[in-house]
Amino acid sequence: MPALERAGLLPALTRLAAPPATVEQLRRAHTLGLIEYVQQVSLQGGGLLDQGDTYVTGESYELARLAAGGCAAAVDQIMSGAAHNGFALIRPPGHHAETDRVSGFCLFNNVAVAARQAQVAHGVKRVAIVDYDVHHGNGTQDIFFEDDSVLFISVHLFAPYFYPGIGGMDEIGVGRGRDFNLNVPLPPYVGDNGYRRVFDELIEPRLRRFEPELLLVSAGFDAHWQDPLAMAGLSLTGYDAITRRLLGYADTLCDGRVLFILEGGYQLDVLSAGVNNVFRALLGRGAIEDPFGPMPQPEHDVSGLLERLKRHYLL
């Protein structure tokens, strides 16, 4: 928020209060057992929820309800026409939270709650979710793996021992959801050009085939080359190119209805500059902020990988 204020962007934005998600809204994405587990540990003052690093404090349950509820409220604004587009600046993040399991700092799956809000409250038949966080959106995949009304696309680093360890091209969905789950597993140091080609050659044609009525974006800024937890090689200029492609897809396919939802990002200056740039694009402004420049090492050529993925997904 201070970064948005320094950039002079706040006066152009409409700020929306985040109501807490109801248990009914959360149950559209999660089991009641998971919801009650997070609540109980939080009410007891907090603690570790899994074998990894996902924990709660005494306030986490209510904060996670606000995060999910804020995303649902933003969907209401966009689907009603009160807002053209939006960005949910929320914490905790959500894309690792599965139907019945927390993981990866995520308690409730915010983007999944948003998708179900569009479907249940507004009668939307087809929602597309594009996740460009550097980690695979395993939770979102789990929730929609058998669902043909939600197209889930995850672009992520896929390297040995890299969290969460899944997200291969063979994970395409099952039952009705078969072929509605598209993973783009990338090697390290793909950089701006590789990501551009992924969106142009894989994501755009799949979105056009699906014809979504709403586009949701799991926006993680940990694919930047300076992020301490990964090595994907994107620059802020590359991120901006992705943002403007996504806005173009939304304009063409779903009357501009798009909601960005914050996920990861662990270099805080990169995170704030990246968020500022998304808001500039949402507002239709041209200039962007990139004080860090491009990745210093050569980009990995993804030509062979893209050809295999296009054959695999029949694109």
Side-chain angles (χ1 to χ4, degrees):
M1 293 303 291
L4 284 168
E5 188 170 9
R6 288 192 299 272
L9 293 169
L10 284 181
L13 305 175
T14 300
R15 294 178 62 181
L16 181 66
T22 64
V23 172
E24 177 188 356
Q25 287 174 314
L26 295 176
R27 286 193 66 181
R28 297 169 187 166
H30 299 291
T31 63
L32 183 59
L34 173 70
I35 298 164
E36 291 179 340
Y37 176 54
V38 174
Q39 181 184 29
Q40 289 166 4
V41 178
S42 190
L43 286 174
Q44 293 166 6
L48 196 63
L49 296 182
D50 62 7
Q51 299 301 311
D53 45 21
T54 306
Y55 65 92
V56 291
T57 68
E59 297 177 313
S60 294
Y61 173 70
E62 294 301 331
L63 293 173
R65 288 180 63 203
L66 288 173
C71 294
V75 165
D76 290 340
Q77 293 289 300
I78 292 168
M79 294 310 303
S80 69
H84 185 61
N85 53 42
F87 197 150
L89 296 181
I90 46 87
R91 284 285 183 259
H95 75 146
H96 294 309
E98 300 179 7
T99 305
D100 59 357
R101 189 173 75 95
V102 305
S103 69
F105 315 137
C106 300
L107 306 179
F108 303 135
N109 195 305
N110 304 307
V111 75
V113 171
R116 291 304 191 211
Q117 180 71 10
Q119 294 179 319
V120 173
H122 302 280
V124 172
K125 293 182 174 59
R126 295 180 307 282
V127 178
I129 300 172
V130 175
D131 185 333
Y132 60 65
D133 187 281
V134 79
H135 302 93
H136 177 245
N138 59 295
T140 313
Q141 173 174 291
D142 175 73
I143 291 167
F144 298 116
F145 208 55
E146 300 180 44
D147 192 335
D148 61 356
S149 71
V150 177
L151 172 66
F152 177 59
I153 302 174
S154 180
V155 185
H156 50 271
L157 187 62
F158 191 69
Y161 312 111
F162 190 73
Y163 187 87
I166 66 169
M169 69 172 71
D170 293 328
E171 298 161 29
I172 61 171
V174 296
R176 288 190 303 112
R178 184 178 176 84
D179 296 325
F180 290 88
N181 195 88
L182 190 153
N183 285 319
V184 185
L186 297 177
Y189 308 116
V190 166
D192 293 352
N193 186 57
Y195 269 85
R196 176 190 58 78
R197 292 189 61 190
V198 164
F199 276 79
D200 289 348
E201 299 177 34
L202 293 175
I203 295 177
E204 181 178 0
R206 188 63 185 93
L207 286 174
R208 288 185 181 277
R209 186 195 302 174
F210 184 66
E211 298 182 330
E213 298 168 71
L214 172 68
L215 177 59
L216 301 175
V217 181
S218 277
F221 293 88
D222 41 7
H224 190 272
W225 66 269
Q226 278 205 353
D227 196 274
L229 297 189
M231 60 220 69
L234 262 179
S235 71
L236 286 172
T237 300
Y239 263 113
D240 182 68
I242 288 172
T243 298
R244 293 176 191 270
R245 277 171 168 75
L246 289 166
L247 293 182
Y249 305 157
D251 286 341
T252 301
L253 300 172
C254 47
D255 295 325
R257 292 186 292 266
V258 60
L259 174 64
F260 288 74
I261 296 174
L262 190 61
E263 299 288 0
Y266 306 97
Q267 208 283 19
L268 298 186
D269 294 328
V270 166
L271 177 63
S272 58
V275 168
N276 280 355
N277 288 340
V278 172
F279 274 108
R280 290 186 179 97
L282 290 171
L283 291 166
R285 300 183 183 181
I288 70 161
E289 176 185 354
D290 187 358
F292 305 100
M295 174 177 63
Q297 56 259 62
E299 294 187 357
H300 187 110
D301 183 12
V302 294
S303 297
L305 173 62
L306 288 178
E307 289 306 314
R308 291 195 301 275
L309 289 170
K310 281 188 278 189
R311 288 195 301 270
H312 182 71
Y313 292 120
L314 302 178
L315 295 172

